[in-house]
């Protein structure tokens, strides 16, 4: 049995540990840290978050949404979800849940959330979505007047003296998963390949012009890092600093990592982005998942939202064209 003195010492130690944890978290956050201004972000941009299923926005991209939807930044963010997540027959419920979650995460209006029900994009681990289908959808949605369709490309070959027009888009930034899809879900990975193909199609026969859309993908980490929550932030920051130092001394590199002062001149944006939520933002992300996506709150998701890295840390990398 603990003596009163030992018990008091234990309580004091626990109190100091909790205080240190919250101080560490505050200093690590890219919004509450004294060094917050050193982290690059976007201002006055038209941004689309491309996801595969309702709940992807909360489980994987919450720190990004909470950071970029801040009113002072002037960004306008839309969410495009290519399936209703109907693998278990709950698509009609999950549509509504996504909208509720998105509003909690800072999306301006219900009309800024679009969920498709397209036979080409059906939820399921065995359903690989064609990159050409994803690209075609993105072209139709964001670049309907582009001159880079196949028919136009053919006419250009017949008229070699015709000067190609600059590619256009109704968005500036496209956010999605990287080639590993965080959880290796084939639907997630399909979005990466489709988005890359979208940029390639957009820039086809448009040499000499800059791509009007910058693609940023969420970085997949190891299994260990995936479940250490905010403790992964210093590791990610350190990796970014080292990469930035290497880029400074590398003659072939024109961009840095997390330094907002140096950007890729050709692409017009930082090479990488880091968003670490504050304690309050993390609680908002938890609320978006627990209170909005109630149909998805099975037992194992409690572990994900409790200690999962992606509920609090997002590291995104700009993809080349």
């Amino acid at each position: 049995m603990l003596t009163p003195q030992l018990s008091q010492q234990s309580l004091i130690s626990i109190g100091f540990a909790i205080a240190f944890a919250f101080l560490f978290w505050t200093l690590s956050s890219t919004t509450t840290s004294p060094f917050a201004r050193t982290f690059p972000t976007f201002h006055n941009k038209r941004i689309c978050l491309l996801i595969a299923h309702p709940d992807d926005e909360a489980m994987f991209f919450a720190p990004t949404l909470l950071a970029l939807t801040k009113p002072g930044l002037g960004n306008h963010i839309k969410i495009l979800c290519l399936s209703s997540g109907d693998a278990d027959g709950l698509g009609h419920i999950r549509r509504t849940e996504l909208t509720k979650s998105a509003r909690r995460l800072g999306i301006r209006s219900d009309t800024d959330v679009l969920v498709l029900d397209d036979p080409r994009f059906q939820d399921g681990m065995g359903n690989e979505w064609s990159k050409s289908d994803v690209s075609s959808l993105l072209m139709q949605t964001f670049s309907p007047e582009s001159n880079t369709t196949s028919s136009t490309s053919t006419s250009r070959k017949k008229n070699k003296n015709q000067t190609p027009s600059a590619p256009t888009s109704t968005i500036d930034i496209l956010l999605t998963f990287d080639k590993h899809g965080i959880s290796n879900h084939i639907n997630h990975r399909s979005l990466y390949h489709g988005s890359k193909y979208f940029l390639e199609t957009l820039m086809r026969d448009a040499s000499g012009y800059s791509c009007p859309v910058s693609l940023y993908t969420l970085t997949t980490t190891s299994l260990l890092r995936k479940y250490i929550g905010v403790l992964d932030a210093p590791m990610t920051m350190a990796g970014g600093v080292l990469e930035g130092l290497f880029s400074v001394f590398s003659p072939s590199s024109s961009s840095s990592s997390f330094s907002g002062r140096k950007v890729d001149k050709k692409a017009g944006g930082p090479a990488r982005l880091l968003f670490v939520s504050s304690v309050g933002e993390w609680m908002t992300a938890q609320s978006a998942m627990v209170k909005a996506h109630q149909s998805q709150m099975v037992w194992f998701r409690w572990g994900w939202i409790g200690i999962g890295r992606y509920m609090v840390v997002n590291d995104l990398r700009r993809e080349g064209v």
Side-chain angles (χ1 to χ4, degrees), residues 248-264:
V248 169
F249 294 106
S250 173
S252 61
S253 176
S254 61
S255 62
S256 66
S257 182
F258 292 134
S259 172
R261 290 171 291 181
K262 189 175 182 181
V263 299
D264 188 309

Side-chain angles (χ1 to χ4, degrees), residues 26 33 70-71 77 153 164 173 204 209 211 275 285 292-294 300:
T26 300
S33 169
K70 294 184 183 303
I77 303 182
S153 178
I173 309 293
R204 189 173 297 152
Y209 293 104
C211 185
F275 301 114
H293 291 289
Q294 294 181 356
F300 57 84

Side-chain angles (χ1 to χ4, degrees), residues 291-310:
K291 295 184 178 180
H293 291 289
Q294 294 181 356
S295 72
Q296 300 304 298
M297 288 310 299
V298 292
W299 66 270
F300 57 84
R301 287 208 169 88
W302 288 99
W304 178 270
I305 67 171
I307 59 175
R309 171 203 198 254
Y310 293 94

